Short mmCIF file of all heavy atoms in Angstrom, two decimals:
data_model
loop_
_atom_site.label_atom_id
_atom_site.label_comp_id
_atom_site.label_asym_id
_atom_site.label_seq_id
_atom_site.Cartn_x
_atom_site.Cartn_y
_atom_site.Cartn_z
N THR A 1057 -10.38 0.56 -11.52
CA THR A 1057 -10.12 -0.61 -12.30
C THR A 1057 -8.85 -1.29 -11.66
O THR A 1057 -8.14 -0.70 -10.85
CB THR A 1057 -9.76 -0.36 -13.72
OG1 THR A 1057 -8.60 0.35 -13.84
CG2 THR A 1057 -10.91 0.31 -14.33
N ALA A 1058 -8.62 -2.53 -12.10
CA ALA A 1058 -7.48 -3.23 -11.57
C ALA A 1058 -6.12 -2.61 -11.92
O ALA A 1058 -5.18 -2.56 -11.11
CB ALA A 1058 -7.52 -4.64 -12.12
N ALA A 1059 -6.10 -1.85 -13.09
CA ALA A 1059 -4.99 -1.19 -13.53
C ALA A 1059 -4.62 -0.02 -12.55
O ALA A 1059 -3.46 0.14 -12.22
CB ALA A 1059 -5.08 -0.61 -14.93
N LEU A 1060 -5.61 0.62 -12.12
CA LEU A 1060 -5.35 1.71 -11.19
C LEU A 1060 -4.97 1.25 -9.81
O LEU A 1060 -4.11 1.91 -9.11
CB LEU A 1060 -6.56 2.74 -11.08
CG LEU A 1060 -6.82 3.44 -12.30
CD1 LEU A 1060 -8.14 4.30 -12.18
CD2 LEU A 1060 -5.66 4.36 -12.72
N VAL A 1061 -5.45 0.12 -9.38
CA VAL A 1061 -5.04 -0.48 -8.05
C VAL A 1061 -3.55 -0.79 -8.20
O VAL A 1061 -2.75 -0.51 -7.22
CB VAL A 1061 -5.85 -1.71 -7.75
CG1 VAL A 1061 -5.32 -2.46 -6.57
CG2 VAL A 1061 -7.30 -1.22 -7.45
N GLU A 1062 -3.12 -1.37 -9.28
CA GLU A 1062 -1.69 -1.74 -9.50
C GLU A 1062 -0.84 -0.51 -9.57
O GLU A 1062 0.23 -0.49 -9.06
CB GLU A 1062 -1.65 -2.60 -10.80
CG GLU A 1062 -0.17 -3.07 -11.07
CD GLU A 1062 0.41 -3.97 -10.10
OE1 GLU A 1062 -0.25 -4.43 -9.18
OE2 GLU A 1062 1.68 -4.31 -10.26
N VAL A 1063 -1.33 0.53 -10.27
CA VAL A 1063 -0.56 1.78 -10.37
C VAL A 1063 -0.40 2.35 -8.92
O VAL A 1063 0.65 2.86 -8.55
CB VAL A 1063 -1.35 2.83 -11.25
CG1 VAL A 1063 -0.86 4.29 -11.09
CG2 VAL A 1063 -1.22 2.40 -12.71
N ALA A 1064 -1.41 2.39 -8.10
CA ALA A 1064 -1.23 2.84 -6.71
C ALA A 1064 -0.26 2.02 -5.92
O ALA A 1064 0.61 2.59 -5.28
CB ALA A 1064 -2.58 2.78 -6.02
N ARG A 1065 -0.27 0.67 -6.13
CA ARG A 1065 0.72 -0.09 -5.43
C ARG A 1065 2.15 0.16 -5.95
O ARG A 1065 3.12 0.27 -5.17
CB ARG A 1065 0.48 -1.60 -5.68
CG ARG A 1065 1.29 -2.60 -4.89
CD ARG A 1065 1.13 -4.06 -5.38
NE ARG A 1065 1.61 -4.28 -6.67
CZ ARG A 1065 2.90 -4.41 -7.06
NH1 ARG A 1065 3.82 -4.31 -6.13
NH2 ARG A 1065 3.23 -4.65 -8.27
N LEU A 1066 2.32 0.28 -7.27
CA LEU A 1066 3.61 0.61 -7.81
C LEU A 1066 4.17 1.96 -7.40
O LEU A 1066 5.28 2.15 -7.17
CB LEU A 1066 3.54 0.54 -9.35
CG LEU A 1066 3.40 -0.85 -9.94
CD1 LEU A 1066 3.06 -0.80 -11.47
CD2 LEU A 1066 4.62 -1.69 -9.70
N THR A 1067 3.18 2.88 -7.29
CA THR A 1067 3.53 4.22 -6.82
C THR A 1067 4.10 4.26 -5.42
O THR A 1067 5.07 4.91 -5.14
CB THR A 1067 2.37 5.24 -7.03
OG1 THR A 1067 1.97 5.25 -8.36
CG2 THR A 1067 2.69 6.65 -6.54
N ASP A 1068 3.41 3.54 -4.62
CA ASP A 1068 3.85 3.37 -3.18
C ASP A 1068 5.27 2.74 -3.13
O ASP A 1068 6.12 3.26 -2.48
CB ASP A 1068 2.88 2.55 -2.38
CG ASP A 1068 1.64 3.30 -1.98
OD1 ASP A 1068 1.55 4.51 -2.15
OD2 ASP A 1068 0.61 2.54 -1.71
N GLN A 1069 5.43 1.79 -3.99
CA GLN A 1069 6.75 1.11 -4.05
C GLN A 1069 7.80 2.11 -4.66
O GLN A 1069 8.94 2.15 -4.07
CB GLN A 1069 6.65 -0.13 -4.97
CG GLN A 1069 7.84 -1.02 -4.90
CD GLN A 1069 7.65 -2.30 -5.72
OE1 GLN A 1069 6.51 -2.56 -6.16
NE2 GLN A 1069 8.66 -3.02 -5.94
N ALA A 1070 7.49 2.87 -5.62
CA ALA A 1070 8.38 3.82 -6.23
C ALA A 1070 8.78 4.92 -5.22
O ALA A 1070 10.01 5.29 -5.08
CB ALA A 1070 7.77 4.48 -7.43
N ILE A 1071 7.86 5.37 -4.38
CA ILE A 1071 8.23 6.34 -3.38
C ILE A 1071 9.18 5.82 -2.36
O ILE A 1071 10.21 6.42 -2.01
CB ILE A 1071 6.91 6.76 -2.65
CG1 ILE A 1071 6.03 7.62 -3.67
CG2 ILE A 1071 7.24 7.56 -1.39
CD1 ILE A 1071 4.62 7.92 -3.18
N ALA A 1072 8.93 4.52 -1.92
CA ALA A 1072 9.86 3.93 -0.95
C ALA A 1072 11.31 3.76 -1.59
O ALA A 1072 12.32 4.07 -0.92
CB ALA A 1072 9.29 2.56 -0.57
N VAL A 1073 11.38 3.35 -2.84
CA VAL A 1073 12.69 3.21 -3.55
C VAL A 1073 13.39 4.59 -3.66
O VAL A 1073 14.55 4.69 -3.48
CB VAL A 1073 12.50 2.49 -4.89
CG1 VAL A 1073 13.77 2.55 -5.66
CG2 VAL A 1073 12.06 1.07 -4.71
N ALA A 1074 12.57 5.59 -4.06
CA ALA A 1074 13.11 6.95 -4.20
C ALA A 1074 13.67 7.44 -2.85
O ALA A 1074 14.74 8.04 -2.82
CB ALA A 1074 12.06 7.87 -4.69
N GLN A 1075 13.04 7.11 -1.79
CA GLN A 1075 13.47 7.54 -0.49
C GLN A 1075 14.76 6.89 -0.07
O GLN A 1075 15.72 7.46 0.51
CB GLN A 1075 12.37 7.34 0.60
CG GLN A 1075 11.27 8.32 0.46
CD GLN A 1075 10.06 7.99 1.35
OE1 GLN A 1075 9.85 6.84 1.69
NE2 GLN A 1075 9.23 9.01 1.66
N LYS A 1076 14.79 5.56 -0.44
CA LYS A 1076 16.08 4.79 -0.18
C LYS A 1076 17.23 5.38 -1.06
O LYS A 1076 18.35 5.44 -0.53
CB LYS A 1076 15.85 3.30 -0.50
CG LYS A 1076 15.01 2.61 0.49
CD LYS A 1076 14.87 1.18 0.04
CE LYS A 1076 13.88 0.37 0.89
NZ LYS A 1076 13.61 -0.98 0.49
N ALA A 1077 16.94 5.71 -2.31
CA ALA A 1077 18.00 6.27 -3.13
C ALA A 1077 18.49 7.55 -2.63
O ALA A 1077 19.67 7.81 -2.66
CB ALA A 1077 17.45 6.33 -4.64
N ARG A 1078 17.52 8.36 -2.14
CA ARG A 1078 17.89 9.70 -1.61
C ARG A 1078 18.85 9.53 -0.37
O ARG A 1078 19.76 10.31 -0.13
CB ARG A 1078 16.67 10.49 -1.30
CG ARG A 1078 16.96 11.87 -0.84
CD ARG A 1078 15.61 12.65 -0.67
NE ARG A 1078 15.90 13.95 -0.28
CZ ARG A 1078 15.04 14.78 0.20
NH1 ARG A 1078 13.79 14.44 0.32
NH2 ARG A 1078 15.36 15.96 0.55
N ALA A 1079 18.54 8.54 0.40
CA ALA A 1079 19.28 8.28 1.68
C ALA A 1079 20.59 7.52 1.46
O ALA A 1079 21.39 7.39 2.38
CB ALA A 1079 18.36 7.61 2.70
N ALA A 1080 20.67 6.93 0.26
CA ALA A 1080 21.97 6.12 0.00
C ALA A 1080 23.17 6.93 0.15
O ALA A 1080 23.29 8.12 -0.26
CB ALA A 1080 21.82 5.55 -1.35
N THR A 1081 24.25 6.38 0.81
CA THR A 1081 25.48 7.02 0.94
C THR A 1081 26.54 6.49 -0.02
O THR A 1081 27.61 7.03 -0.15
CB THR A 1081 26.01 6.82 2.40
OG1 THR A 1081 26.13 5.40 2.63
CG2 THR A 1081 25.04 7.52 3.36
N ASP A 1082 26.21 5.42 -0.76
CA ASP A 1082 27.13 4.87 -1.67
C ASP A 1082 26.57 4.96 -3.08
O ASP A 1082 25.35 4.67 -3.31
CB ASP A 1082 27.24 3.29 -1.36
CG ASP A 1082 28.16 2.59 -2.29
OD1 ASP A 1082 29.39 2.80 -2.13
OD2 ASP A 1082 27.62 1.84 -3.16
N ALA A 1083 27.34 5.45 -4.00
CA ALA A 1083 26.87 5.71 -5.37
C ALA A 1083 26.39 4.47 -6.08
O ALA A 1083 25.45 4.50 -6.84
CB ALA A 1083 28.03 6.42 -6.26
N ALA A 1084 27.07 3.32 -5.80
CA ALA A 1084 26.66 2.10 -6.45
C ALA A 1084 25.27 1.66 -6.00
O ALA A 1084 24.44 1.25 -6.81
CB ALA A 1084 27.66 1.02 -6.16
N ASP A 1085 25.08 1.87 -4.65
CA ASP A 1085 23.65 1.47 -4.13
C ASP A 1085 22.57 2.41 -4.74
O ASP A 1085 21.50 2.03 -5.12
CB ASP A 1085 23.71 1.58 -2.64
CG ASP A 1085 24.51 0.47 -1.97
OD1 ASP A 1085 24.71 -0.53 -2.61
OD2 ASP A 1085 24.87 0.69 -0.77
N ALA A 1086 22.91 3.70 -4.76
CA ALA A 1086 22.02 4.70 -5.38
C ALA A 1086 21.73 4.41 -6.76
O ALA A 1086 20.56 4.49 -7.22
CB ALA A 1086 22.55 6.11 -5.16
N SER A 1087 22.75 4.08 -7.51
CA SER A 1087 22.56 3.74 -8.91
C SER A 1087 21.66 2.59 -9.17
O SER A 1087 20.83 2.61 -10.11
CB SER A 1087 23.93 3.47 -9.56
OG SER A 1087 23.73 3.16 -11.02
N LYS A 1088 21.81 1.60 -8.32
CA LYS A 1088 20.96 0.40 -8.41
C LYS A 1088 19.51 0.75 -8.16
O LYS A 1088 18.57 0.38 -8.83
CB LYS A 1088 21.42 -0.68 -7.44
CG LYS A 1088 20.55 -1.90 -7.38
CD LYS A 1088 21.06 -2.89 -6.30
CE LYS A 1088 20.00 -4.00 -6.20
NZ LYS A 1088 20.05 -4.66 -4.93
N LEU A 1089 19.30 1.54 -7.11
CA LEU A 1089 17.93 1.97 -6.74
C LEU A 1089 17.33 2.86 -7.88
O LEU A 1089 16.15 2.72 -8.13
CB LEU A 1089 17.96 2.72 -5.39
CG LEU A 1089 18.23 1.80 -4.22
CD1 LEU A 1089 18.70 2.64 -2.97
CD2 LEU A 1089 17.09 0.91 -3.89
N VAL A 1090 18.13 3.70 -8.47
CA VAL A 1090 17.58 4.53 -9.57
C VAL A 1090 17.18 3.65 -10.71
O VAL A 1090 16.15 4.01 -11.34
CB VAL A 1090 18.66 5.59 -9.97
CG1 VAL A 1090 18.22 6.26 -11.22
CG2 VAL A 1090 18.82 6.66 -8.85
N GLY A 1091 17.88 2.58 -11.02
CA GLY A 1091 17.47 1.72 -12.08
C GLY A 1091 16.15 1.06 -11.67
O GLY A 1091 15.29 0.88 -12.55
N GLU A 1092 16.00 0.68 -10.46
CA GLU A 1092 14.68 0.09 -9.96
C GLU A 1092 13.60 1.10 -10.16
O GLU A 1092 12.53 0.80 -10.55
CB GLU A 1092 14.88 -0.37 -8.50
CG GLU A 1092 13.69 -1.14 -7.99
CD GLU A 1092 13.86 -1.65 -6.60
OE1 GLU A 1092 15.02 -1.80 -6.12
OE2 GLU A 1092 12.87 -1.92 -5.96
N LEU A 1093 13.90 2.34 -9.78
CA LEU A 1093 12.92 3.44 -9.82
C LEU A 1093 12.48 3.67 -11.32
O LEU A 1093 11.31 3.91 -11.64
CB LEU A 1093 13.44 4.72 -9.27
CG LEU A 1093 12.53 5.86 -9.18
CD1 LEU A 1093 11.33 5.59 -8.27
CD2 LEU A 1093 13.23 7.06 -8.50
N ASP A 1094 13.47 3.64 -12.20
CA ASP A 1094 13.13 3.72 -13.69
C ASP A 1094 12.13 2.66 -14.06
O ASP A 1094 11.22 2.98 -14.78
CB ASP A 1094 14.43 3.71 -14.46
CG ASP A 1094 14.20 3.88 -15.91
OD1 ASP A 1094 13.63 4.91 -16.33
OD2 ASP A 1094 14.63 2.99 -16.70
N SER A 1095 12.45 1.42 -13.71
CA SER A 1095 11.54 0.30 -14.03
C SER A 1095 10.17 0.53 -13.49
O SER A 1095 9.17 0.29 -14.21
CB SER A 1095 12.14 -0.95 -13.56
OG SER A 1095 11.27 -2.05 -13.80
N LEU A 1096 10.09 1.01 -12.27
CA LEU A 1096 8.76 1.20 -11.60
C LEU A 1096 8.01 2.32 -12.39
O LEU A 1096 6.77 2.17 -12.57
CB LEU A 1096 8.93 1.51 -10.14
CG LEU A 1096 9.38 0.31 -9.25
CD1 LEU A 1096 9.80 0.85 -7.90
CD2 LEU A 1096 8.21 -0.67 -9.14
N THR A 1097 8.70 3.42 -12.72
CA THR A 1097 7.95 4.47 -13.32
C THR A 1097 7.50 4.07 -14.69
O THR A 1097 6.40 4.54 -15.17
CB THR A 1097 8.84 5.76 -13.39
OG1 THR A 1097 10.09 5.49 -14.02
CG2 THR A 1097 9.04 6.32 -11.98
N THR A 1098 8.23 3.26 -15.36
CA THR A 1098 7.81 2.74 -16.65
C THR A 1098 6.54 1.86 -16.54
O THR A 1098 5.62 2.02 -17.31
CB THR A 1098 8.95 1.92 -17.40
OG1 THR A 1098 10.05 2.71 -17.56
CG2 THR A 1098 8.48 1.25 -18.68
N GLN A 1099 6.52 1.05 -15.48
CA GLN A 1099 5.32 0.26 -15.18
C GLN A 1099 4.13 1.11 -14.85
O GLN A 1099 3.06 0.75 -15.18
CB GLN A 1099 5.69 -0.82 -14.10
CG GLN A 1099 6.57 -1.82 -14.49
CD GLN A 1099 6.94 -2.72 -13.32
OE1 GLN A 1099 6.08 -3.37 -12.69
NE2 GLN A 1099 8.22 -2.64 -12.86
N ILE A 1100 4.42 2.16 -14.02
CA ILE A 1100 3.31 3.13 -13.71
C ILE A 1100 2.70 3.72 -14.91
O ILE A 1100 1.49 3.73 -15.09
CB ILE A 1100 3.81 4.17 -12.66
CG1 ILE A 1100 4.06 3.49 -11.36
CG2 ILE A 1100 2.81 5.28 -12.50
CD1 ILE A 1100 4.92 4.37 -10.39
N ALA A 1101 3.61 4.18 -15.85
CA ALA A 1101 3.12 4.83 -17.07
C ALA A 1101 2.30 3.89 -17.86
O ALA A 1101 1.19 4.24 -18.45
CB ALA A 1101 4.28 5.32 -17.90
N ALA A 1102 2.76 2.60 -17.98
CA ALA A 1102 1.98 1.61 -18.72
C ALA A 1102 0.67 1.33 -18.09
O ALA A 1102 -0.37 1.21 -18.81
CB ALA A 1102 2.77 0.31 -18.83
N GLY A 1103 0.59 1.29 -16.78
CA GLY A 1103 -0.68 1.09 -16.05
C GLY A 1103 -1.61 2.18 -16.21
O GLY A 1103 -2.92 2.05 -16.40
N LEU A 1104 -1.12 3.40 -16.25
CA LEU A 1104 -2.01 4.62 -16.48
C LEU A 1104 -2.52 4.59 -17.90
O LEU A 1104 -3.67 4.96 -18.14
CB LEU A 1104 -1.20 5.86 -16.25
CG LEU A 1104 -0.94 6.18 -14.69
CD1 LEU A 1104 0.01 7.35 -14.64
CD2 LEU A 1104 -2.22 6.39 -13.91
N GLN A 1105 -1.71 4.23 -18.87
CA GLN A 1105 -2.15 4.10 -20.25
C GLN A 1105 -3.26 3.06 -20.35
O GLN A 1105 -4.26 3.25 -21.00
CB GLN A 1105 -0.97 3.76 -21.20
CG GLN A 1105 -1.39 3.74 -22.67
CD GLN A 1105 -1.89 5.10 -23.15
OE1 GLN A 1105 -1.17 6.06 -22.95
NE2 GLN A 1105 -3.07 5.17 -23.72
N GLU A 1106 -3.08 1.98 -19.74
CA GLU A 1106 -4.12 0.84 -19.67
C GLU A 1106 -5.44 1.36 -19.16
O GLU A 1106 -6.49 1.13 -19.68
CB GLU A 1106 -3.62 -0.31 -18.96
CG GLU A 1106 -4.58 -1.49 -18.93
CD GLU A 1106 -4.08 -2.65 -18.05
OE1 GLU A 1106 -2.83 -2.75 -17.90
OE2 GLU A 1106 -4.95 -3.52 -17.71
N ALA A 1107 -5.31 2.15 -18.05
CA ALA A 1107 -6.55 2.65 -17.36
C ALA A 1107 -7.25 3.69 -18.39
O ALA A 1107 -8.47 3.78 -18.43
CB ALA A 1107 -6.16 3.28 -16.08
N GLN A 1108 -6.43 4.48 -18.96
CA GLN A 1108 -6.98 5.51 -19.93
C GLN A 1108 -7.67 4.80 -21.08
O GLN A 1108 -8.66 5.21 -21.47
CB GLN A 1108 -5.83 6.42 -20.40
CG GLN A 1108 -6.45 7.54 -21.28
CD GLN A 1108 -5.37 8.54 -21.71
OE1 GLN A 1108 -4.14 8.23 -21.67
NE2 GLN A 1108 -5.81 9.71 -22.15
N ASN A 1109 -7.01 3.71 -21.58
CA ASN A 1109 -7.67 3.02 -22.70
C ASN A 1109 -8.97 2.38 -22.25
O ASN A 1109 -9.96 2.46 -23.03
CB ASN A 1109 -6.69 1.91 -23.22
CG ASN A 1109 -5.48 2.47 -23.91
OD1 ASN A 1109 -5.48 3.60 -24.35
ND2 ASN A 1109 -4.47 1.61 -24.05
N HIS A 1110 -9.02 1.84 -21.04
CA HIS A 1110 -10.24 1.31 -20.51
C HIS A 1110 -11.35 2.34 -20.43
O HIS A 1110 -12.49 2.13 -20.77
CB HIS A 1110 -9.96 0.62 -19.17
CG HIS A 1110 -11.09 -0.13 -18.61
ND1 HIS A 1110 -11.71 0.29 -17.41
CD2 HIS A 1110 -11.81 -1.15 -19.03
CE1 HIS A 1110 -12.72 -0.48 -17.19
NE2 HIS A 1110 -12.78 -1.41 -18.17
N MET A 1111 -10.95 3.53 -19.88
CA MET A 1111 -11.90 4.65 -19.73
C MET A 1111 -12.47 5.11 -21.14
O MET A 1111 -13.67 5.23 -21.28
CB MET A 1111 -11.27 5.80 -19.06
CG MET A 1111 -12.26 7.02 -18.90
SD MET A 1111 -13.73 6.62 -17.99
CE MET A 1111 -13.08 6.49 -16.35
N THR A 1112 -11.59 5.11 -22.09
CA THR A 1112 -11.99 5.53 -23.45
C THR A 1112 -12.98 4.47 -24.02
O THR A 1112 -13.99 4.83 -24.62
CB THR A 1112 -10.77 5.57 -24.38
OG1 THR A 1112 -9.89 6.59 -23.85
CG2 THR A 1112 -11.13 5.95 -25.81
N GLN A 1113 -12.71 3.14 -23.79
CA GLN A 1113 -13.66 2.17 -24.24
C GLN A 1113 -15.01 2.26 -23.56
O GLN A 1113 -16.08 2.05 -24.17
CB GLN A 1113 -13.07 0.81 -24.06
CG GLN A 1113 -11.87 0.48 -24.98
CD GLN A 1113 -12.22 0.56 -26.44
OE1 GLN A 1113 -13.24 0.17 -26.81
NE2 GLN A 1113 -11.40 1.28 -27.17
N MET A 1114 -15.01 2.57 -22.20
CA MET A 1114 -16.24 2.77 -21.51
C MET A 1114 -17.04 3.95 -22.09
O MET A 1114 -18.23 3.90 -22.33
CB MET A 1114 -15.89 2.93 -20.03
CG MET A 1114 -15.52 1.67 -19.31
SD MET A 1114 -14.95 1.79 -17.62
CE MET A 1114 -16.07 3.02 -16.87
N LEU A 1115 -16.35 5.01 -22.30
CA LEU A 1115 -16.99 6.20 -22.85
C LEU A 1115 -17.60 5.90 -24.29
O LEU A 1115 -18.76 6.39 -24.55
CB LEU A 1115 -16.02 7.37 -22.92
CG LEU A 1115 -15.65 7.99 -21.63
CD1 LEU A 1115 -14.47 9.01 -21.77
CD2 LEU A 1115 -16.78 8.66 -20.89
N LYS A 1116 -16.82 5.24 -25.03
CA LYS A 1116 -17.34 4.83 -26.40
C LYS A 1116 -18.67 3.95 -26.22
O LYS A 1116 -19.60 4.18 -26.93
CB LYS A 1116 -16.33 4.06 -27.18
CG LYS A 1116 -15.25 4.93 -27.82
CD LYS A 1116 -14.25 4.06 -28.59
CE LYS A 1116 -13.19 4.91 -29.19
NZ LYS A 1116 -12.16 4.14 -29.90
N GLY A 1117 -18.56 3.09 -25.37
CA GLY A 1117 -19.73 2.14 -25.08
C GLY A 1117 -20.94 2.88 -24.63
O GLY A 1117 -22.12 2.46 -24.97
N GLU A 1118 -20.72 4.00 -23.93
CA GLU A 1118 -21.85 4.83 -23.47
C GLU A 1118 -22.23 5.95 -24.45
O GLU A 1118 -23.10 6.71 -24.27
CB GLU A 1118 -21.53 5.43 -22.08
CG GLU A 1118 -21.35 4.46 -20.98
CD GLU A 1118 -22.62 3.63 -20.68
OE1 GLU A 1118 -23.72 4.22 -20.78
OE2 GLU A 1118 -22.55 2.37 -20.38
N GLY A 1119 -21.51 6.01 -25.55
CA GLY A 1119 -21.74 7.05 -26.58
C GLY A 1119 -21.29 8.43 -26.12
O GLY A 1119 -21.78 9.41 -26.54
N LEU A 1120 -20.32 8.45 -25.17
CA LEU A 1120 -19.86 9.69 -24.60
C LEU A 1120 -18.44 10.09 -25.01
O LEU A 1120 -17.85 10.99 -24.41
CB LEU A 1120 -19.90 9.63 -23.07
CG LEU A 1120 -21.33 9.39 -22.53
CD1 LEU A 1120 -21.27 9.16 -20.98
CD2 LEU A 1120 -22.20 10.63 -22.81
N GLU A 1121 -17.84 9.40 -25.96
CA GLU A 1121 -16.47 9.68 -26.31
C GLU A 1121 -16.13 11.01 -26.65
O GLU A 1121 -15.05 11.60 -26.47
CB GLU A 1121 -15.94 8.76 -27.33
CG GLU A 1121 -16.59 8.91 -28.73
CD GLU A 1121 -16.15 7.87 -29.70
OE1 GLU A 1121 -14.99 7.75 -29.98
OE2 GLU A 1121 -17.07 7.17 -30.22
N SER A 1122 -17.08 11.87 -27.23
CA SER A 1122 -16.82 13.28 -27.56
C SER A 1122 -17.40 14.23 -26.58
O SER A 1122 -17.32 15.42 -26.80
CB SER A 1122 -17.46 13.53 -28.91
OG SER A 1122 -16.87 12.70 -29.95
N ALA A 1123 -17.92 13.71 -25.47
CA ALA A 1123 -18.48 14.60 -24.46
C ALA A 1123 -17.35 15.43 -23.78
O ALA A 1123 -16.21 14.89 -23.60
CB ALA A 1123 -19.23 13.77 -23.37
N PRO A 1124 -17.64 16.68 -23.46
CA PRO A 1124 -16.64 17.46 -22.77
C PRO A 1124 -16.30 16.91 -21.37
O PRO A 1124 -17.14 16.35 -20.70
CB PRO A 1124 -17.30 18.82 -22.59
CG PRO A 1124 -18.75 18.69 -22.84
CD PRO A 1124 -18.91 17.35 -23.58
N ARG A 1125 -15.01 17.02 -20.99
CA ARG A 1125 -14.66 16.48 -19.72
C ARG A 1125 -13.98 17.66 -18.95
O ARG A 1125 -13.38 18.52 -19.33
CB ARG A 1125 -13.55 15.43 -19.87
CG ARG A 1125 -14.16 14.19 -20.50
CD ARG A 1125 -13.11 13.04 -20.66
NE ARG A 1125 -13.60 12.10 -21.57
CZ ARG A 1125 -13.19 12.01 -22.85
NH1 ARG A 1125 -12.39 12.91 -23.40
NH2 ARG A 1125 -13.70 11.10 -23.55
#
């Protein structure tokens, strides 16, 4: 779904930011990057929740919501 494509994009971005934070030599720069990473991970969690909700609706539509996974 579109939500998972966005999650993949955000994850790539989060990895890049985390690598920059790890390489930062200045605490102020690292702190700024950690704040950005926090925002990205929040967006990733929201995107995953959206994808899970979509999957649940699809399973309900197919009558499979109680099927073992």
Side-chain angles (χ1 to χ4, degrees):
T1057 67
L1060 291 178
V1061 170
E1062 180 66 4
V1063 165
R1065 186 190 68 76
L1066 290 168
T1067 300
D1068 288 342
Q1069 190 175 348
I1071 290 168
V1073 170
Q1075 289 170 337
K1076 287 179 187 176
R1078 186 174 182 195
T1081 56
D1082 179 76
D1085 290 340
S1087 179
K1088 178 184 170 203
L1089 291 164
V1090 168
E1092 187 177 339
L1093 185 59
D1094 181 55
S1095 174
L1096 288 166
T1097 56
T1098 298
Q1099 292 175 63
I1100 290 167
L1104 290 172
Q1105 184 63 53
E1106 182 181 338
Q1108 184 176 18
N1109 292 343
H1110 185 244
M1111 179 60 73
T1112 299
Q1113 291 302 316
M1114 288 173 39
L1115 289 170
K1116 282 182 183 178
E1118 296 295 325
L1120 300 172
E1121 64 186 302
S1122 298
R1125 295 183 195 94

